[in-house]
Amino acid sequence: MPLGDIAGEALGGVFRFIGRLLFEVVVELLIQGAGHVILRIVRPKSEPGETACTLVGLIFWATVIVLGWYLYRQSIAA
């Protein structure tokens, strides 16, 4: 095998690993984690499902981003 093919395969594996790691951190910790915490506060006696956690987490982060953008725009206008 040429050296270029070996290096390409190795780099592809490294980038695949880094992409998977970033996906796990962003989706599972930030989005699903926030959703899980919110749902546990709202309904403490039931265990929330993965889909519900993801949906609530996405809504939470969208709200945080929109609110942050709004506050930023208000501070610039002042």
Side-chain angles (χ1 to χ4, degrees), residues 8-42:
E9 290 290 325
L11 282 176
V14 168
F15 286 132
R16 198 173 314 117
F17 173 74
I18 291 172
R20 181 67 182 172
L21 187 65
L22 287 174
F23 178 80
E24 294 283 332
V25 168
V26 169
V27 171
E28 289 193 6
L29 289 180
L30 293 178
I31 295 175
Q32 287 181 348
H36 185 79
V37 168
I38 292 168
L39 287 175
R40 292 296 289 178
I41 291 171
V42 173

Side-chain angles (χ1 to χ4, degrees), residues 14-78:
V14 168
F15 286 132
R16 198 173 314 117
F17 173 74
I18 291 172
R20 181 67 182 172
L21 187 65
L22 287 174
F23 178 80
E24 294 283 332
V25 168
V26 169
V27 171
E28 289 193 6
L29 289 180
L30 293 178
I31 295 175
Q32 287 181 348
H36 185 79
V37 168
I38 292 168
L39 287 175
R40 292 296 289 178
I41 291 171
V42 173
R43 302 182 311 175
K45 295 193 189 259
S46 66
E47 185 64 30
E50 188 174 314
T51 305
C53 288
T54 303
L55 186 62
V56 170
L58 284 172
I59 292 169
F60 168 75
W61 285 113
T63 304
V64 166
I65 290 169
V66 168
L67 185 61
W69 177 79
Y70 176 75
L71 291 173
Y72 172 75
R73 296 294 292 174
Q74 291 300 318
S75 67
I76 294 296

